[in-house]
Amino acid sequence: MENPPDQTESKEMMLPPRTRRPKGGLLTMPFIIANEGFEKVASYGLLQNMILYLMSDYGLGVVKGQTVLFMWVAATNFMPLVGAFLSDSYLGRFLTIAIASLSSFLGMVLLWLTAMLPQVKPSPCIASAGTNCSSPAATSSQLALLYSAFALISIGSGGIRPCSLAFGADQLDNKENPKNERVLESFFGWYYASSSVAVLIAFTVIVYIQDHLGWRIGFGIPAILMLLASIVFAFASPLYVKRNVTKSLFTGLAQAAVAAYVNRKLMLPGQSDSYGCYHHLKDSELKAPSDKLR
């Protein structure tokens, strides 16, 4: 005789299979928005008083100090183009934001060290009676450390700013949801609102701390905020929807150029041609291809 089946086994067979919780959704929004917000508070908060720091602690003149800040701002505004290209073609949005967050944090730590360690900047001027005070110029190694901090912060901004909004949209973009467009509009509204609040805090609170509590605390708080941004973003890694990397942008441009050259002598179909429907959208007033942009 066969033994009767175990009751526990029969119960397990009757249980429905466990369904995995879908990734993405509103649960991931606080982590993405917090990462962007902390980055903006930290980076924008450093910029406002930086000319005073360069003049007082590094002995730079107004012209040279403004030149350094101009190059820093220019690099920060240019790097999002590089970050967007690397994100779409090679790294993906999640990895780009993670690397950029780490880069920004390291840059702010280096900048904070310039305020903490007297060896990494020119010695302060101590005036004696009847003599003029002239601070020694910063050495090449001291300026290299300062510029490295600026470069790391610019690289971080170049990776976070162009990818955060698109990465957040990836978490919510669900074509099967009839309210998909409404959800995305709500996310965009909260994203830009939080970014505005972050910039406001940077221009007021961080600047006030630097003016009244000194550079050590004024540079240390942005570094702590950037550390929190990195931790918060990485903590939710299992919850994110991570899109696959598409083909390289340059590959698409090359393919379009080659296709345009090969098809340069093709005759355009007429209005009566049945293939003309492929050249205009539904309910479009243009019923036949035009001669523009052949």
Side-chain angles (χ1 to χ4, degrees):
M1 293 181 61
E2 296 182 357
N3 295 327
D6 190 10
Q7 293 183 357
T8 58
E9 293 181 359
S10 60
K11 289 182 179 180
E12 291 177 357
M13 295 175 62
M14 295 174 60
L15 290 176
R18 290 186 178 181
T19 58
R20 286 188 175 183
R21 184 188 180 280
K23 293 187 176 183
L26 294 174
L27 183 61
T28 60
M29 292 303 98
F31 303 98
I32 298 174
I33 293 178
N35 175 265
E36 172 74 11
F38 285 149
E39 189 275 334
K40 272 189 166 53
V41 172
S43 59
Y44 280 91
L46 293 175
L47 181 62
Q48 303 308 310
N49 278 341
M50 188 55 64
I51 183 63
L52 301 178
Y53 181 67
L54 296 179
M55 293 174 62
S56 62
D57 287 47
Y58 277 84
L60 301 183
V62 177
V63 175
K64 187 173 182 180
Q66 290 288 1
T67 302
V68 171
L69 291 184
F70 172 79
M71 297 301 294
W72 182 27
V73 173
T76 302
N77 291 331
F78 173 76
M79 288 306 295
L81 298 176
V82 180
F85 168 72
L86 293 176
S87 170
D88 292 340
S89 302
Y90 297 103
L91 300 178
R93 295 188 180 106
F94 171 78
L95 189 58
T96 301
I97 296 175
I99 295 175
S101 299
L102 179 61
S103 177
S104 286
F105 170 66
L106 293 177
M108 293 177 187
V109 168
L110 284 182
L111 188 61
W112 174 69
L113 288 178
T114 63
M116 293 295 295
L117 303 177
Q119 298 86 354
V120 298
K121 59 184 178 181
S123 57
C125 174
I126 302 177
S128 58
T131 61
N132 294 326
C133 179
S134 58
S135 300
T139 63
S140 300
S141 59
Q142 291 171 343
L143 291 177
L145 182 64
L146 178 67
Y147 296 160
S148 298
F150 290 161
L152 288 172
I153 295 174
S154 296
I155 292 172
S157 299
I160 294 175
R161 295 178 186 180
C163 297
S164 291
L165 186 61
F167 188 66
D170 288 342
Q171 314 306 313
L172 300 175
D173 191 12
N174 183 9
K175 303 299 183 183
E176 299 178 356
N177 185 3
K179 298 182 180 180
N180 185 53
E181 185 176 352
R182 181 70 178 272
V183 171
L184 288 175
E185 290 178 354
S186 178
F187 164 66
F188 293 151
W190 281 107
Y191 179 89
Y192 287 116
S194 63
S195 297
S196 301
V197 172
V199 174
L200 177 63
I201 294 175
F203 287 174
T204 54
V205 177
I206 301 298
V207 172
Y208 178 86
I209 292 174
Q210 292 171 355
D211 290 340
H212 292 80
L213 300 180
W215 302 116
R216 295 184 176 184
I217 299 178
F219 289 167
I221 291 178
I224 294 174
L225 291 177
M226 200 61 234
L227 176 62
L228 291 176
S230 304
I231 294 175
V232 165
F233 182 78
F235 178 77
S237 175
L239 305 177
Y240 295 138
V241 173
K242 301 171 185 177
R243 305 288 187 188
N244 294 329
V245 178
T246 58
K247 63 181 179 180
S248 173
L249 175 65
F250 292 122
T251 302
L253 290 176
Q255 290 174 344
V258 171
Y261 179 79
V262 171
N263 299 328
R264 68 190 185 281
K265 295 184 179 180
L266 287 181
M267 296 297 294
L268 292 176
Q271 185 173 0
S272 60
D273 198 322
S274 61
Y275 290 101
C277 62
Y278 292 107
H279 293 269
H280 61 81
L281 298 176
K282 183 180 179 181
D283 300 329
S284 173
E285 296 180 358
L286 185 64
K287 299 303 181 183
S290 68
D291 292 329
K292 297 180 179 180
L293 300 178
R294 287 173 54 90

